[in-house]
Amino acid sequence: DAAMFNAKRGRGRARTGPGTPTAQLTLEEDLRAALRHDRLQLHYQPIVARDGTITLAEALVRWPHPERGLLTPDTILSVAENGGLMHDLDSWVLRTALREAVTWQRPIGVTVNVSGIRPDAPNFSDEVSTAITASGIAPDRIVLEMVETLLVDLPARPRQAMRELARTGVRFAMDDFGTGYSSLARLKDLPTQIVKLDRRFVSGMGSDPADLGIARAVVELARAMDRTCIAEGVENTTQHALLNSLGIDACQGFLFSRPLPAAEFHALLKSPESAGPRKHDSGKGKP
Ligand code: C2E
Ligand code: MG
Ligand code: MG
Ligand code: MG
């Protein structure tokens, strides 16, 4: 059975190279099957508060493809996009992330990227609520990350749906802030409690005064609007120190950890350091 499946796919590939339309179609079929049979995986990257505590983890999709190795979101998302599978992908990720987060050692928050589950879809809040109920997770542990470009054009009704979910405890984050339209009006009237400073500003901060200026402005804006500000892509201690001096609330990046397979993330959460500073210095550096 499996051999036949492989032979069939092998035949398709023999006449084509990677990246050709046929290869793309084959990948779409593969992704459809992977979603159906739960063959995708989530990796989790810790988000670390000022006192060193892991307060959240971002779920990032990975696809261990039998022939192409571990595929990352750039490939997965483009295949899903072209195959009309974005909604199915996001749905799978949401359900899986909530189900896995329930088993974690500590009840920290889990953040999920959504672009195919859109607030302007008529069943948006139903779909999220159903996933929450099915997993049994507390709604206040969930953060839905959306890029600002998806949020700027939202008409009134979807904003209402977001507010309804927010009333149940679900939080929303504006992802990659600073790279899109950065609509300040939208930030003000959407229930986006978290702003994620895009990593391009973090990586440029040390050498480019304009990037440092943007980073500072975003952190101050978040503070003025009573939002939590998280920096993405923090890779070294210089960036970390600079962000702390600006007043950042939390950081995410390779300095702390790469995105980890579920089991490794589980083990990390069990380690006492992940729960923050020890008794004698607890409270130090808290925002
Ligand atoms: P994002 O939401 O901005 O996620 C952060 C990305 O930055 C992740 O890439 C992460 O691995 C990477 N990253 C984290 N720390 C560092 C660092 O210190 N340095 C550098 N250079 N990179 C770092 P990844 O996993 O490849 O995901 C890329 C993008 O794909 C994500 O960007 C998100 O927009 C999207 N994505 C990932 N998983 C999903 C998903 O399940 N559903 C949807 N709709 N989008 C997803
Ligand atoms: Mg994200
Ligand atoms: Mg981001
Ligand atoms: Mg980003």
PDB file of all heavy atoms in Angstrom, residues 24-36 40 61 63 75-93 95 115-117 127:
ATOM      1  N   GLN A  24       4.698  21.259  -7.229  1.00  0.00           N
ATOM      2  CA  GLN A  24       3.838  22.057  -6.349  1.00  0.00           C
ATOM      3  C   GLN A  24       2.512  21.327  -6.094  1.00  0.00           C
ATOM      4  O   GLN A  24       2.048  21.251  -4.964  1.00  0.00           O
ATOM      5  CB  GLN A  24       3.597  23.435  -6.998  1.00  0.00           C
ATOM      6  CG  GLN A  24       2.653  24.343  -6.236  1.00  0.00           C
ATOM      7  CD  GLN A  24       3.262  24.870  -4.938  1.00  0.00           C
ATOM      8  OE1 GLN A  24       4.471  25.015  -4.832  1.00  0.00           O
ATOM      9  NE2 GLN A  24       2.427  25.133  -3.938  1.00  0.00           N
ATOM     10  N   LEU A  25       1.961  20.761  -7.165  1.00  0.00           N
ATOM     11  CA  LEU A  25       0.703  20.029  -7.019  1.00  0.00           C
ATOM     12  C   LEU A  25       0.872  18.816  -6.113  1.00  0.00           C
ATOM     13  O   LEU A  25       0.023  18.517  -5.283  1.00  0.00           O
ATOM     14  CB  LEU A  25       0.183  19.566  -8.388  1.00  0.00           C
ATOM     15  CG  LEU A  25      -0.577  20.622  -9.185  1.00  0.00           C
ATOM     16  CD1 LEU A  25      -1.033  20.057 -10.519  1.00  0.00           C
ATOM     17  CD2 LEU A  25      -1.768  21.142  -8.385  1.00  0.00           C
ATOM     18  N   THR A  26       2.008  18.113  -6.291  1.00  0.00           N
ATOM     19  CA  THR A  26       2.282  16.952  -5.453  1.00  0.00           C
ATOM     20  C   THR A  26       2.382  17.374  -3.991  1.00  0.00           C
ATOM     21  O   THR A  26       1.837  16.722  -3.110  1.00  0.00           O
ATOM     22  CB  THR A  26       3.601  16.283  -5.889  1.00  0.00           C
ATOM     23  OG1 THR A  26       3.552  16.106  -7.290  1.00  0.00           O
ATOM     24  CG2 THR A  26       3.798  14.956  -5.218  1.00  0.00           C
ATOM     25  N   LEU A  27       3.070  18.499  -3.736  1.00  0.00           N
ATOM     26  CA  LEU A  27       3.190  18.995  -2.364  1.00  0.00           C
ATOM     27  C   LEU A  27       1.819  19.355  -1.781  1.00  0.00           C
ATOM     28  O   LEU A  27       1.574  19.133  -0.604  1.00  0.00           O
ATOM     29  CB  LEU A  27       4.114  20.216  -2.318  1.00  0.00           C
ATOM     30  CG  LEU A  27       5.593  19.943  -2.048  1.00  0.00           C
ATOM     31  CD1 LEU A  27       6.384  21.248  -2.082  1.00  0.00           C
ATOM     32  CD2 LEU A  27       5.790  19.258  -0.690  1.00  0.00           C
ATOM     33  N   GLU A  28       0.959  19.904  -2.616  1.00  0.00           N
ATOM     34  CA  GLU A  28      -0.393  20.222  -2.138  1.00  0.00           C
ATOM     35  C   GLU A  28      -1.119  18.956  -1.699  1.00  0.00           C
ATOM     36  O   GLU A  28      -1.759  18.932  -0.647  1.00  0.00           O
ATOM     37  CB  GLU A  28      -1.205  20.920  -3.235  1.00  0.00           C
ATOM     38  CG  GLU A  28      -0.892  22.399  -3.357  1.00  0.00           C
ATOM     39  CD  GLU A  28      -1.574  23.033  -4.564  1.00  0.00           C
ATOM     40  OE1 GLU A  28      -2.654  22.551  -4.958  1.00  0.00           O
ATOM     41  OE2 GLU A  28      -1.014  24.004  -5.095  1.00  0.00           O
ATOM     42  N   GLU A  29      -0.995  17.915  -2.527  1.00  0.00           N
ATOM     43  CA  GLU A  29      -1.616  16.632  -2.147  1.00  0.00           C
ATOM     44  C   GLU A  29      -1.005  16.108  -0.853  1.00  0.00           C
ATOM     45  O   GLU A  29      -1.697  15.633   0.030  1.00  0.00           O
ATOM     46  CB  GLU A  29      -1.399  15.576  -3.235  1.00  0.00           C
ATOM     47  CG  GLU A  29      -2.249  15.766  -4.469  1.00  0.00           C
ATOM     48  CD  GLU A  29      -1.748  14.887  -5.618  1.00  0.00           C
ATOM     49  OE1 GLU A  29      -1.223  13.782  -5.330  1.00  0.00           O
ATOM     50  OE2 GLU A  29      -1.861  15.318  -6.776  1.00  0.00           O
ATOM     51  N   ASP A  30       0.322  16.197  -0.772  1.00  0.00           N
ATOM     52  CA  ASP A  30       1.017  15.735   0.439  1.00  0.00           C
ATOM     53  C   ASP A  30       0.533  16.497   1.675  1.00  0.00           C
ATOM     54  O   ASP A  30       0.332  15.910   2.737  1.00  0.00           O
ATOM     55  CB  ASP A  30       2.534  15.948   0.313  1.00  0.00           C
ATOM     56  CG  ASP A  30       3.183  15.006  -0.699  1.00  0.00           C
ATOM     57  OD1 ASP A  30       2.483  14.100  -1.203  1.00  0.00           O
ATOM     58  OD2 ASP A  30       4.382  15.179  -0.978  1.00  0.00           O
ATOM     59  N   LEU A  31       0.374  17.825   1.519  1.00  0.00           N
ATOM     60  CA  LEU A  31      -0.044  18.636   2.672  1.00  0.00           C
ATOM     61  C   LEU A  31      -1.470  18.282   3.095  1.00  0.00           C
ATOM     62  O   LEU A  31      -1.761  18.167   4.288  1.00  0.00           O
ATOM     63  CB  LEU A  31       0.065  20.137   2.353  1.00  0.00           C
ATOM     64  CG  LEU A  31      -0.317  21.090   3.500  1.00  0.00           C
ATOM     65  CD1 LEU A  31       0.527  20.830   4.750  1.00  0.00           C
ATOM     66  CD2 LEU A  31      -0.177  22.553   3.068  1.00  0.00           C
ATOM     67  N   ARG A  32      -2.318  18.091   2.104  1.00  0.00           N
ATOM     68  CA  ARG A  32      -3.698  17.689   2.400  1.00  0.00           C
ATOM     69  C   ARG A  32      -3.687  16.387   3.218  1.00  0.00           C
ATOM     70  O   ARG A  32      -4.362  16.279   4.239  1.00  0.00           O
ATOM     71  CB  ARG A  32      -4.464  17.487   1.087  1.00  0.00           C
ATOM     72  CG  ARG A  32      -5.888  17.924   1.167  1.00  0.00           C
ATOM     73  CD  ARG A  32      -6.560  18.016  -0.204  1.00  0.00           C
ATOM     74  NE  ARG A  32      -6.624  19.384  -0.678  1.00  0.00           N
ATOM     75  CZ  ARG A  32      -6.106  19.820  -1.816  1.00  0.00           C
ATOM     76  NH1 ARG A  32      -5.466  18.993  -2.620  1.00  0.00           N
ATOM     77  NH2 ARG A  32      -6.217  21.085  -2.156  1.00  0.00           N
ATOM     78  N   ALA A  33      -2.884  15.428   2.774  1.00  0.00           N
ATOM     79  CA  ALA A  33      -2.801  14.137   3.473  1.00  0.00           C
ATOM     80  C   ALA A  33      -2.175  14.314   4.862  1.00  0.00           C
ATOM     81  O   ALA A  33      -2.634  13.721   5.840  1.00  0.00           O
ATOM     82  CB  ALA A  33      -1.988  13.145   2.646  1.00  0.00           C
ATOM     83  N   ALA A  34      -1.130  15.148   4.943  1.00  0.00           N
ATOM     84  CA  ALA A  34      -0.460  15.369   6.225  1.00  0.00           C
ATOM     85  C   ALA A  34      -1.421  15.974   7.246  1.00  0.00           C
ATOM     86  O   ALA A  34      -1.411  15.619   8.428  1.00  0.00           O
ATOM     87  CB  ALA A  34       0.759  16.269   6.041  1.00  0.00           C
ATOM     88  N   LEU A  35      -2.269  16.904   6.784  1.00  0.00           N
ATOM     89  CA  LEU A  35      -3.252  17.511   7.684  1.00  0.00           C
ATOM     90  C   LEU A  35      -4.273  16.479   8.142  1.00  0.00           C
ATOM     91  O   LEU A  35      -4.636  16.415   9.315  1.00  0.00           O
ATOM     92  CB  LEU A  35      -3.972  18.669   6.979  1.00  0.00           C
ATOM     93  CG  LEU A  35      -3.186  19.970   6.857  1.00  0.00           C
ATOM     94  CD1 LEU A  35      -3.842  20.919   5.857  1.00  0.00           C
ATOM     95  CD2 LEU A  35      -3.054  20.650   8.220  1.00  0.00           C
ATOM     96  N   ARG A  36      -4.689  15.653   7.188  1.00  0.00           N
ATOM     97  CA  ARG A  36      -5.695  14.641   7.503  1.00  0.00           C
ATOM     98  C   ARG A  36      -5.164  13.620   8.500  1.00  0.00           C
ATOM     99  O   ARG A  36      -5.863  13.151   9.372  1.00  0.00           O
ATOM    100  CB  ARG A  36      -6.151  13.954   6.212  1.00  0.00           C
ATOM    101  CG  ARG A  36      -7.523  13.342   6.309  1.00  0.00           C
ATOM    102  CD  ARG A  36      -8.130  13.014   4.945  1.00  0.00           C
ATOM    103  NE  ARG A  36      -7.171  12.525   3.979  1.00  0.00           N
ATOM    104  CZ  ARG A  36      -6.979  13.048   2.759  1.00  0.00           C
ATOM    105  NH1 ARG A  36      -7.675  14.084   2.375  1.00  0.00           N
ATOM    106  NH2 ARG A  36      -6.074  12.531   1.948  1.00  0.00           N
ATOM    107  N   LEU A  40       1.768  16.818  10.642  1.00  0.00           N
ATOM    108  CA  LEU A  40       2.521  18.050  10.876  1.00  0.00           C
ATOM    109  C   LEU A  40       2.906  18.070  12.354  1.00  0.00           C
ATOM    110  O   LEU A  40       2.390  17.283  13.146  1.00  0.00           O
ATOM    111  CB  LEU A  40       1.678  19.280  10.549  1.00  0.00           C
ATOM    112  CG  LEU A  40       1.147  19.395   9.120  1.00  0.00           C
ATOM    113  CD1 LEU A  40       0.373  20.690   8.959  1.00  0.00           C
ATOM    114  CD2 LEU A  40       2.280  19.330   8.109  1.00  0.00           C
ATOM    115  N   VAL A  61       4.617  26.061  13.090  1.00  0.00           N
ATOM    116  CA  VAL A  61       4.363  24.796  12.399  1.00  0.00           C
ATOM    117  C   VAL A  61       5.615  24.268  11.692  1.00  0.00           C
ATOM    118  O   VAL A  61       6.439  25.040  11.198  1.00  0.00           O
ATOM    119  CB  VAL A  61       3.183  24.966  11.405  1.00  0.00           C
ATOM    120  CG1 VAL A  61       3.558  25.818  10.203  1.00  0.00           C
ATOM    121  CG2 VAL A  61       2.639  23.602  10.962  1.00  0.00           C
ATOM    122  N   TRP A  63       6.901  20.613   9.233  1.00  0.00           N
ATOM    123  CA  TRP A  63       6.372  19.478   8.484  1.00  0.00           C
ATOM    124  C   TRP A  63       7.506  18.514   8.158  1.00  0.00           C
ATOM    125  O   TRP A  63       8.302  18.799   7.271  1.00  0.00           O
ATOM    126  CB  TRP A  63       5.690  19.985   7.218  1.00  0.00           C
ATOM    127  CG  TRP A  63       5.095  18.939   6.327  1.00  0.00           C
ATOM    128  CD1 TRP A  63       4.888  17.617   6.611  1.00  0.00           C
ATOM    129  CD2 TRP A  63       4.621  19.139   4.992  1.00  0.00           C
ATOM    130  NE1 TRP A  63       4.305  16.987   5.536  1.00  0.00           N
ATOM    131  CE2 TRP A  63       4.127  17.903   4.517  1.00  0.00           C
ATOM    132  CE3 TRP A  63       4.551  20.258   4.148  1.00  0.00           C
ATOM    133  CZ2 TRP A  63       3.598  17.750   3.241  1.00  0.00           C
ATOM    134  CZ3 TRP A  63       4.016  20.106   2.885  1.00  0.00           C
ATOM    135  CH2 TRP A  63       3.542  18.852   2.441  1.00  0.00           C
ATOM    136  N   THR A  75       7.872  27.374   3.200  1.00  0.00           N
ATOM    137  CA  THR A  75       7.374  26.397   2.225  1.00  0.00           C
ATOM    138  C   THR A  75       5.931  26.000   2.534  1.00  0.00           C
ATOM    139  O   THR A  75       5.064  26.019   1.656  1.00  0.00           O
ATOM    140  CB  THR A  75       8.235  25.107   2.260  1.00  0.00           C
ATOM    141  OG1 THR A  75       9.600  25.481   2.143  1.00  0.00           O
ATOM    142  CG2 THR A  75       7.855  24.162   1.135  1.00  0.00           C
ATOM    143  N   ILE A  76       5.675  25.662   3.803  1.00  0.00           N
ATOM    144  CA  ILE A  76       4.345  25.161   4.177  1.00  0.00           C
ATOM    145  C   ILE A  76       3.265  26.183   3.838  1.00  0.00           C
ATOM    146  O   ILE A  76       2.239  25.852   3.239  1.00  0.00           O
ATOM    147  CB  ILE A  76       4.285  24.823   5.686  1.00  0.00           C
ATOM    148  CG1 ILE A  76       5.379  23.823   6.065  1.00  0.00           C
ATOM    149  CG2 ILE A  76       2.904  24.281   6.070  1.00  0.00           C
ATOM    150  CD1 ILE A  76       5.566  23.631   7.571  1.00  0.00           C
ATOM    151  N   LEU A  77       3.538  27.449   4.184  1.00  0.00           N
ATOM    152  CA  LEU A  77       2.520  28.480   3.971  1.00  0.00           C
ATOM    153  C   LEU A  77       2.295  28.737   2.485  1.00  0.00           C
ATOM    154  O   LEU A  77       1.169  28.974   2.062  1.00  0.00           O
ATOM    155  CB  LEU A  77       2.904  29.786   4.688  1.00  0.00           C
ATOM    156  CG  LEU A  77       2.954  29.713   6.220  1.00  0.00           C
ATOM    157  CD1 LEU A  77       3.461  31.019   6.810  1.00  0.00           C
ATOM    158  CD2 LEU A  77       1.591  29.379   6.807  1.00  0.00           C
ATOM    159  N   SER A  78       3.362  28.665   1.666  1.00  0.00           N
ATOM    160  CA  SER A  78       3.142  28.926   0.242  1.00  0.00           C
ATOM    161  C   SER A  78       2.384  27.773  -0.409  1.00  0.00           C
ATOM    162  O   SER A  78       1.529  27.997  -1.265  1.00  0.00           O
ATOM    163  CB  SER A  78       4.453  29.281  -0.486  1.00  0.00           C
ATOM    164  OG  SER A  78       5.099  28.117  -0.941  1.00  0.00           O
ATOM    165  N   VAL A  79       2.664  26.554   0.022  1.00  0.00           N
ATOM    166  CA  VAL A  79       1.900  25.406  -0.498  1.00  0.00           C
ATOM    167  C   VAL A  79       0.428  25.532  -0.067  1.00  0.00           C
ATOM    168  O   VAL A  79      -0.486  25.361  -0.873  1.00  0.00           O
ATOM    169  CB  VAL A  79       2.494  24.062  -0.006  1.00  0.00           C
ATOM    170  CG1 VAL A  79       1.614  22.886  -0.416  1.00  0.00           C
ATOM    171  CG2 VAL A  79       3.910  23.872  -0.544  1.00  0.00           C
ATOM    172  N   ALA A  80       0.226  25.876   1.209  1.00  0.00           N
ATOM    173  CA  ALA A  80      -1.136  25.998   1.726  1.00  0.00           C
ATOM    174  C   ALA A  80      -1.897  27.113   1.011  1.00  0.00           C
ATOM    175  O   ALA A  80      -3.061  26.944   0.622  1.00  0.00           O
ATOM    176  CB  ALA A  80      -1.107  26.258   3.228  1.00  0.00           C
ATOM    177  N   GLU A  81      -1.205  28.228   0.821  1.00  0.00           N
ATOM    178  CA  GLU A  81      -1.776  29.386   0.130  1.00  0.00           C
ATOM    179  C   GLU A  81      -2.247  28.992  -1.274  1.00  0.00           C
ATOM    180  O   GLU A  81      -3.397  29.206  -1.642  1.00  0.00           O
ATOM    181  CB  GLU A  81      -0.683  30.455   0.025  1.00  0.00           C
ATOM    182  CG  GLU A  81      -1.143  31.875  -0.158  1.00  0.00           C
ATOM    183  CD  GLU A  81      -1.344  32.574   1.183  1.00  0.00           C
ATOM    184  OE1 GLU A  81      -0.428  32.642   2.026  1.00  0.00           O
ATOM    185  OE2 GLU A  81      -2.465  33.037   1.375  1.00  0.00           O
ATOM    186  N   ASN A  82      -1.336  28.397  -2.043  1.00  0.00           N
ATOM    187  CA  ASN A  82      -1.661  28.020  -3.427  1.00  0.00           C
ATOM    188  C   ASN A  82      -2.731  26.942  -3.507  1.00  0.00           C
ATOM    189  O   ASN A  82      -3.488  26.889  -4.471  1.00  0.00           O
ATOM    190  CB  ASN A  82      -0.404  27.526  -4.153  1.00  0.00           C
ATOM    191  CG  ASN A  82       0.567  28.662  -4.430  1.00  0.00           C
ATOM    192  OD1 ASN A  82       0.153  29.777  -4.736  1.00  0.00           O
ATOM    193  ND2 ASN A  82       1.854  28.400  -4.285  1.00  0.00           N
ATOM    194  N   GLY A  83      -2.757  26.066  -2.490  1.00  0.00           N
ATOM    195  CA  GLY A  83      -3.713  24.968  -2.529  1.00  0.00           C
ATOM    196  C   GLY A  83      -5.043  25.290  -1.854  1.00  0.00           C
ATOM    197  O   GLY A  83      -5.884  24.423  -1.704  1.00  0.00           O
ATOM    198  N   GLY A  84      -5.208  26.533  -1.405  1.00  0.00           N
ATOM    199  CA  GLY A  84      -6.440  26.910  -0.719  1.00  0.00           C
ATOM    200  C   GLY A  84      -6.584  26.184   0.617  1.00  0.00           C
ATOM    201  O   GLY A  84      -7.684  25.866   1.058  1.00  0.00           O
ATOM    202  N   LEU A  85      -5.439  25.904   1.258  1.00  0.00           N
ATOM    203  CA  LEU A  85      -5.467  25.116   2.494  1.00  0.00           C
ATOM    204  C   LEU A  85      -5.141  25.942   3.738  1.00  0.00           C
ATOM    205  O   LEU A  85      -4.927  25.388   4.822  1.00  0.00           O
ATOM    206  CB  LEU A  85      -4.453  23.961   2.390  1.00  0.00           C
ATOM    207  CG  LEU A  85      -4.785  22.874   1.356  1.00  0.00           C
ATOM    208  CD1 LEU A  85      -3.592  21.952   1.150  1.00  0.00           C
ATOM    209  CD2 LEU A  85      -6.005  22.095   1.803  1.00  0.00           C
ATOM    210  N   MET A  86      -5.079  27.261   3.587  1.00  0.00           N
ATOM    211  CA  MET A  86      -4.678  28.101   4.728  1.00  0.00           C
ATOM    212  C   MET A  86      -5.609  27.927   5.926  1.00  0.00           C
ATOM    213  O   MET A  86      -5.165  27.852   7.061  1.00  0.00           O
ATOM    214  CB  MET A  86      -4.641  29.586   4.329  1.00  0.00           C
ATOM    215  CG  MET A  86      -3.316  30.064   3.785  1.00  0.00           C
ATOM    216  SD  MET A  86      -1.873  29.557   4.752  1.00  0.00           S
ATOM    217  CE  MET A  86      -2.180  30.389   6.292  1.00  0.00           C
ATOM    218  N   HIS A  87      -6.891  27.881   5.629  1.00  0.00           N
ATOM    219  CA  HIS A  87      -7.819  27.746   6.740  1.00  0.00           C
ATOM    220  C   HIS A  87      -7.650  26.393   7.432  1.00  0.00           C
ATOM    221  O   HIS A  87      -7.594  26.307   8.663  1.00  0.00           O
ATOM    222  CB  HIS A  87      -9.272  27.943   6.294  1.00  0.00           C
ATOM    223  CG  HIS A  87     -10.228  27.735   7.421  1.00  0.00           C
ATOM    224  ND1 HIS A  87     -10.807  26.516   7.671  1.00  0.00           N
ATOM    225  CD2 HIS A  87     -10.641  28.571   8.389  1.00  0.00           C
ATOM    226  CE1 HIS A  87     -11.561  26.617   8.753  1.00  0.00           C
ATOM    227  NE2 HIS A  87     -11.481  27.858   9.205  1.00  0.00           N
ATOM    228  N   ASP A  88      -7.522  25.332   6.637  1.00  0.00           N
ATOM    229  CA  ASP A  88      -7.340  23.991   7.213  1.00  0.00           C
ATOM    230  C   ASP A  88      -6.060  23.913   8.032  1.00  0.00           C
ATOM    231  O   ASP A  88      -6.016  23.295   9.092  1.00  0.00           O
ATOM    232  CB  ASP A  88      -7.289  22.931   6.099  1.00  0.00           C
ATOM    233  CG  ASP A  88      -8.641  22.758   5.423  1.00  0.00           C
ATOM    234  OD1 ASP A  88      -9.620  23.364   5.912  1.00  0.00           O
ATOM    235  OD2 ASP A  88      -8.712  22.038   4.415  1.00  0.00           O
ATOM    236  N   LEU A  89      -5.003  24.545   7.514  1.00  0.00           N
ATOM    237  CA  LEU A  89      -3.727  24.538   8.230  1.00  0.00           C
ATOM    238  C   LEU A  89      -3.871  25.240   9.586  1.00  0.00           C
ATOM    239  O   LEU A  89      -3.497  24.696  10.629  1.00  0.00           O
ATOM    240  CB  LEU A  89      -2.643  25.234   7.379  1.00  0.00           C
ATOM    241  CG  LEU A  89      -1.281  25.413   8.074  1.00  0.00           C
ATOM    242  CD1 LEU A  89      -0.599  24.076   8.308  1.00  0.00           C
ATOM    243  CD2 LEU A  89      -0.372  26.340   7.273  1.00  0.00           C
ATOM    244  N   ASP A  90      -4.415  26.455   9.563  1.00  0.00           N
ATOM    245  CA  ASP A  90      -4.547  27.206  10.811  1.00  0.00           C
ATOM    246  C   ASP A  90      -5.451  26.492  11.812  1.00  0.00           C
ATOM    247  O   ASP A  90      -5.208  26.515  13.014  1.00  0.00           O
ATOM    248  CB  ASP A  90      -5.113  28.605  10.532  1.00  0.00           C
ATOM    249  CG  ASP A  90      -4.013  29.567  10.099  1.00  0.00           C
ATOM    250  OD1 ASP A  90      -2.862  29.120   9.953  1.00  0.00           O
ATOM    251  OD2 ASP A  90      -4.315  30.756   9.905  1.00  0.00           O
ATOM    252  N   SER A  91      -6.497  25.866  11.295  1.00  0.00           N
ATOM    253  CA  SER A  91      -7.404  25.124  12.144  1.00  0.00           C
ATOM    254  C   SER A  91      -6.670  23.972  12.831  1.00  0.00           C
ATOM    255  O   SER A  91      -6.839  23.742  14.031  1.00  0.00           O
ATOM    256  CB  SER A  91      -8.427  24.473  11.242  1.00  0.00           C
ATOM    257  OG  SER A  91      -9.619  24.821  11.440  1.00  0.00           O
ATOM    258  N   TRP A  92      -5.875  23.255  12.054  1.00  0.00           N
ATOM    259  CA  TRP A  92      -5.090  22.140  12.608  1.00  0.00           C
ATOM    260  C   TRP A  92      -4.139  22.660  13.682  1.00  0.00           C
ATOM    261  O   TRP A  92      -4.045  22.088  14.774  1.00  0.00           O
ATOM    262  CB  TRP A  92      -4.304  21.424  11.492  1.00  0.00           C
ATOM    263  CG  TRP A  92      -3.576  20.217  12.003  1.00  0.00           C
ATOM    264  CD1 TRP A  92      -4.044  18.937  12.066  1.00  0.00           C
ATOM    265  CD2 TRP A  92      -2.255  20.194  12.575  1.00  0.00           C
ATOM    266  NE1 TRP A  92      -3.095  18.124  12.643  1.00  0.00           N
ATOM    267  CE2 TRP A  92      -1.999  18.866  12.963  1.00  0.00           C
ATOM    268  CE3 TRP A  92      -1.279  21.179  12.797  1.00  0.00           C
ATOM    269  CZ2 TRP A  92      -0.788  18.478  13.561  1.00  0.00           C
ATOM    270  CZ3 TRP A  92      -0.084  20.807  13.400  1.00  0.00           C
ATOM    271  CH2 TRP A  92       0.148  19.460  13.767  1.00  0.00           C
ATOM    272  N   VAL A  93      -3.455  23.755  13.369  1.00  0.00           N
ATOM    273  CA  VAL A  93      -2.486  24.322  14.314  1.00  0.00           C
ATOM    274  C   VAL A  93      -3.186  24.766  15.599  1.00  0.00           C
ATOM    275  O   VAL A  93      -2.730  24.454  16.704  1.00  0.00           O
ATOM    276  CB  VAL A  93      -1.701  25.501  13.679  1.00  0.00           C
ATOM    277  CG1 VAL A  93      -0.866  26.239  14.718  1.00  0.00           C
ATOM    278  CG2 VAL A  93      -0.818  24.996  12.531  1.00  0.00           C
ATOM    279  N   ARG A  95      -6.102  23.768  16.908  1.00  0.00           N
ATOM    280  CA  ARG A  95      -6.591  22.619  17.694  1.00  0.00           C
ATOM    281  C   ARG A  95      -5.428  21.887  18.368  1.00  0.00           C
ATOM    282  O   ARG A  95      -5.494  21.531  19.542  1.00  0.00           O
ATOM    283  CB  ARG A  95      -7.376  21.656  16.799  1.00  0.00           C
ATOM    284  CG  ARG A  95      -8.786  22.155  16.482  1.00  0.00           C
ATOM    285  CD  ARG A  95      -9.573  21.192  15.627  1.00  0.00           C
ATOM    286  NE  ARG A  95      -9.208  21.287  14.214  1.00  0.00           N
ATOM    287  CZ  ARG A  95      -8.658  20.309  13.511  1.00  0.00           C
ATOM    288  NH1 ARG A  95      -8.406  19.136  14.071  1.00  0.00           N
ATOM    289  NH2 ARG A  95      -8.347  20.488  12.235  1.00  0.00           N
ATOM    290  N   SER A 115      -3.769  33.283  10.098  1.00  0.00           N
ATOM    291  CA  SER A 115      -3.984  34.124   8.923  1.00  0.00           C
ATOM    292  C   SER A 115      -5.103  33.538   8.069  1.00  0.00           C
ATOM    293  O   SER A 115      -5.831  34.253   7.404  1.00  0.00           O
ATOM    294  CB  SER A 115      -2.690  34.285   8.128  1.00  0.00           C
ATOM    295  OG  SER A 115      -2.052  33.033   7.927  1.00  0.00           O
ATOM    296  N   GLY A 116      -5.261  32.197   8.135  1.00  0.00           N
ATOM    297  CA  GLY A 116      -6.334  31.527   7.404  1.00  0.00           C
ATOM    298  C   GLY A 116      -7.635  31.506   8.198  1.00  0.00           C
ATOM    299  O   GLY A 116      -8.723  31.440   7.640  1.00  0.00           O
ATOM    300  N   ILE A 117      -7.511  31.546   9.528  1.00  0.00           N
ATOM    301  CA  ILE A 117      -8.706  31.741  10.369  1.00  0.00           C
ATOM    302  C   ILE A 117      -8.825  33.245  10.531  1.00  0.00           C
ATOM    303  O   ILE A 117      -8.039  33.855  11.240  1.00  0.00           O
ATOM    304  CB  ILE A 117      -8.540  31.069  11.754  1.00  0.00           C
ATOM    305  CG1 ILE A 117      -8.397  29.551  11.597  1.00  0.00           C
ATOM    306  CG2 ILE A 117      -9.721  31.388  12.657  1.00  0.00           C
ATOM    307  CD1 ILE A 117      -8.183  28.833  12.921  1.00  0.00           C
ATOM    308  N   GLU A 127     -15.533  29.159  15.719  1.00  0.00           N
ATOM    309  CA  GLU A 127     -14.449  28.223  15.464  1.00  0.00           C
ATOM    310  C   GLU A 127     -13.427  28.231  16.604  1.00  0.00           C
ATOM    311  O   GLU A 127     -12.996  27.184  17.082  1.00  0.00           O
ATOM    312  CB  GLU A 127     -13.758  28.556  14.143  1.00  0.00           C
ATOM    313  CG  GLU A 127     -12.523  27.710  13.942  1.00  0.00           C
ATOM    314  CD  GLU A 127     -12.106  27.540  12.502  1.00  0.00           C
ATOM    315  OE1 GLU A 127     -12.536  28.337  11.649  1.00  0.00           O
ATOM    316  OE2 GLU A 127     -11.350  26.596  12.245  1.00  0.00           O
TER     317      GLU A 127
END
